[in-house]
Amino acid sequence: MTETPTSLGIQELHTYWTCQRQPGSAAPLPQDVVKTLLAGLRLNVLETLRYLHQKQPSYAQFEAWVRECNGGELTDASLDRLRRALAGEAVGAEVGNLDHVEGLSADDLAHWDEHGYVILRNAISPEAAESTELAVYDFLGMNRDDPESWYRESLGHSIWVPLLRHPALVANRRSARIHKAHAQLWGREDLWVTVDQVGLNPPERQNWMFPGPHLHWDATLAEPHCLELQGILYLADVAEDQGAFSCVPGFHRTLKEWLQSVPVGQSVQEYAGRTLTMTPIAAKRGDMIIWNHLLPHGSSPNRAQRPRVVQYMSLQPTRYAFTNEWRN
């Protein structure tokens, strides 16, 4: 464990590797720094943990794997931006000047404040969305126009699809409108976009019923309740009954009081599932739904005629307030 940073020259990456290889041997990085580090290096969280725990690589091997994952996409400029941000320096938007980029309107922002979610219309072009949709079908070995192909073993009984770095996905993560909208909601531009997977939720049929996820939180419910954003990009039109993303609008404003009403000894998640009703959110191809992570949310059964095809994505600043204690 005496190896030091080599080709990438990022001390935080070495610390992260050390903590994963030998827990307790070094002070762990804060949650926000880990997210910035991995997003800045274009790494998926679960993919990285799986590699470290299964392969037990040396640090030099880990750095080589990071570069291999990116296929040459880690430029000197992107690495320098990450190093400066981790050192506490101010950095601008990854995609350049956002001053003249159209983002969320005043009405959109008012809707966000009241309901805790907003639809960013035309977050990417319909053409870019369709190209990404087709890439998902291709990855799964499916035909968009052949319903029998939507239930192949390549999907399994899940709506998650572990496609991470197709060029269409990478291009969507650089959408100036997406970065602008998140900058408006965060109030800052030093944002880092996560490398998340995609999803395909086909219509229910015999032997393939909706597997979830049902109503849940991906956030700790311990106080203080801090802001984080989550997002889903619709790659094809999605109707309310088409497995649409669903949430409980406005719940971020009443969460604290509601938690006090949960019966003693009762599971918060089970109580929420019995007492809360989610609203499905329809939107068009290329639209993105961004929501406050304090909203209970989930997917929904697809009772329409075509699959729901999506790309998951979130952006967060270099450092932000968060609560360490986990309660859910």
Side-chain angles (χ1 to χ4, degrees):
M1 293 294 179
T2 59
E3 298 180 68
T4 56
T6 54
S7 63
L8 295 175
I10 298 176
Q11 180 60 50
E12 290 82 1
L13 185 64
H14 185 266
T15 301
Y16 178 76
W17 169 81
T18 301
C19 290
Q20 294 300 324
R21 285 290 305 275
Q22 190 176 351
S25 61
L29 298 171
Q31 167 188 305
D32 53 349
V33 173
V34 170
K35 287 189 175 183
T36 295
L37 174 69
L38 297 183
L41 292 173
R42 317 289 200 266
L43 299 175
N44 173 268
V45 176
L46 293 180
E47 166 195 49
T48 304
L49 290 173
R50 188 179 301 117
Y51 172 76
L52 288 172
H53 294 162
Q54 291 180 357
K55 300 298 185 181
Q56 295 290 301
S58 68
Y59 185 67
Q61 290 172 328
F62 182 37
E63 283 197 320
W65 177 81
V66 172
R67 288 192 179 278
E68 181 183 350
C69 284
N70 282 277
E73 292 296 318
L74 280 180
T75 64
D76 289 341
S78 65
L79 288 171
D80 180 64
R81 179 175 181 264
L82 177 59
R83 293 187 196 103
R84 289 188 292 111
L86 291 172
E89 296 181 31
V91 298
E94 178 184 3
V95 296
N97 192 318
L98 297 177
D99 289 349
H100 302 293
V101 176
E102 183 182 2
L104 298 170
S105 68
D107 287 344
D108 290 333
L109 293 172
H111 188 281
W112 166 265
D113 288 338
E114 180 177 357
H115 299 288
Y117 79 91
V118 67
I119 302 175
L120 176 64
R121 304 292 183 182
N122 298 307
I124 60 173
S125 70
E127 295 77 16
E130 184 174 22
S131 175
T132 313
E133 177 198 19
L134 291 173
V136 176
Y137 282 107
D138 183 66
F139 177 78
L140 291 169
M142 298 177 179
N143 184 328
R144 179 172 64 171
D145 299 314
D146 178 10
E148 286 304 312
S149 74
W150 301 341
Y151 305 91
R152 289 181 176 163
E153 290 183 3
S154 54
L155 178 63
H157 198 164
S158 170
I159 68 171
W160 308 110
V161 180
L163 179 63
L164 298 174
R165 294 189 180 83
H166 188 281
L169 302 180
V170 174
N172 295 343
R173 294 178 188 128
R174 292 187 57 80
S175 161
R177 274 183 54 73
I178 290 176
H179 281 255
K180 176 65 177 242
H182 282 79
Q184 290 174 279
L185 297 176
W186 277 110
R188 50 196 294 184
E189 295 186 357
D190 62 323
L191 302 179
W192 306 86
V193 59
T194 55
V195 175
D196 288 325
Q197 57 191 343
V198 296
L200 187 142
N201 183 1
E204 287 189 316
R205 70 174 190 177
Q206 187 176 4
N207 300 323
W208 208 102
M209 303 303 290
F210 174 60
H214 303 279
L215 182 149
H216 68 284
W217 286 269
D218 298 302
T220 178
L221 300 182
E223 295 187 47
H225 295 149
C226 303
L227 175 67
E228 283 193 50
L229 309 181
Q230 294 177 260
I232 187 169
L233 186 61
Y234 282 0
L235 303 177
D237 292 355
V238 177
E240 288 185 357
D241 65 347
Q242 197 178 339
F245 165 82
S246 302
C247 64
V248 183
F251 201 76
H252 63 304
R253 294 184 288 110
T254 59
L255 172 61
K256 185 173 181 178
E257 293 74 21
W258 180 84
L259 285 171
Q260 295 172 354
S261 74
V262 177
V264 176
Q266 183 75 243
S267 163
V268 172
Q269 293 278 4
E270 291 178 3
Y271 185 68
R274 292 201 316 272
T275 61
L276 301 179
T277 301
M278 296 195 296
T279 299
I281 310 299
K284 296 294 187 180
R285 183 193 303 272
D287 291 346
M288 184 178 194
I289 302 170
I290 308 170
W291 71 95
N292 186 317
H293 75 155
L294 296 176
L295 291 188
H297 63 277
S299 296
S300 57
N302 186 344
R303 300 191 172 110
Q305 300 302 310
R306 299 196 61 83
R308 184 199 79 168
V309 189
V310 300
Q311 178 178 354
Y312 299 95
M313 189 188 314
S314 62
L315 288 81
Q316 76 279 324
T318 307
R319 302 298 302 264
Y320 55 88
F322 62 91
T323 299
N324 266 318
E325 179 189 354
W326 182 258
R327 178 190 176 191
N328 205 324

